[in-house]
Amino acid sequence: MKEERSVGAIIFRRDVGRCLFLLLHYQGGHYDWPKGHIEPGEQELDTVRREVLEETGIEDLTIYGGFRETILYFYTRGGERIRKTVAFYLAETSTSEVKLSWEHVGYKWADYEESMNTLTYRNSREVLEKARRFLEQRGISV
């Protein structure tokens, strides 16, 4: 079985006492976080910054140390079963304007509840719940 590794980011910005999370609408119809493959020679945080810039145009990211959540899933491509591991980091931005890449058909900034109702995959919702707890433990209202 082929294995792939990617990294991504749960991106949020503060808005009038709450956090809004950036959800990307992928061409396949699902909503998820920005993420991508680690290129040769890259460290995970380098990949996070590159992928976020490529997929959203966002450059100003503050990545929170102490938050790294991993998910595992399987999918099939060209008849081959692939085991994929994705590590997610939590990042804050002050940018609200998003410049989408060709990979996406839309995006939305959504509060926690709307994000939980919009995210397509259970594991993405679980990572968001962990991010909420992490932020609230640091006194950041979600």
Side-chain angles (χ1 to χ4, degrees):
M1 179 181 308
K2 185 175 179 182
E3 296 202 20
E4 291 182 357
R5 281 184 54 231
S6 290
V7 293
I10 298 169
I11 300 171
F12 73 96
R13 64 184 174 86
R14 298 182 205 212
D15 180 67
V16 193
R18 66 183 177 154
C19 293
L20 297 178
F21 297 92
L22 178 59
L23 308 177
L24 297 182
H25 191 187
Y26 284 76
Q27 288 185 0
H30 62 284
Y31 279 90
D32 208 355
W33 313 113
K35 64 183 178 297
H37 293 91
I38 300 167
E39 292 187 355
E42 276 187 333
Q43 299 297 314
E44 285 188 349
L45 293 179
D46 297 328
T47 303
V48 168
R49 291 185 184 285
R50 178 182 53 76
E51 285 292 336
V52 167
L53 181 59
E54 288 174 5
E55 294 186 6
T56 70
I58 294 174
E59 292 185 69
D60 71 309
L61 282 182
T62 301
I63 297 173
Y64 282 72
F67 187 93
R68 182 185 181 275
E69 291 294 327
T70 304
I71 63 169
L72 169 68
Y73 62 91
F74 298 86
Y75 72 98
T76 303
R77 181 178 59 219
E80 183 177 21
R81 188 126 169 98
I82 298 168
R83 178 184 196 265
K84 184 156 187 169
T85 305
V86 185
F88 286 101
Y89 290 87
L90 180 61
E92 184 172 2
T93 185
S94 59
T95 301
S96 59
E97 184 181 329
V98 174
K99 297 176 191 134
L100 291 176
S101 74
W102 61 269
E103 298 174 72
H104 307 98
V105 295
Y107 74 92
K108 65 166 76 173
W109 287 103
D111 65 18
Y112 174 78
E113 181 134 346
E114 184 181 1
S115 296
M116 289 296 274
N117 290 325
T118 302
L119 286 163
T120 304
Y121 302 114
R122 178 184 48 81
N123 54 17
S124 297
R125 292 188 298 272
E126 289 170 355
V127 171
L128 177 57
E129 170 58 23
K130 290 175 182 176
R132 181 194 64 78
R133 279 188 259 136
F134 180 91
L135 290 169
E136 287 183 348
Q137 286 170 355
R138 281 146 187 83
I140 299 171
S141 293
V142 174

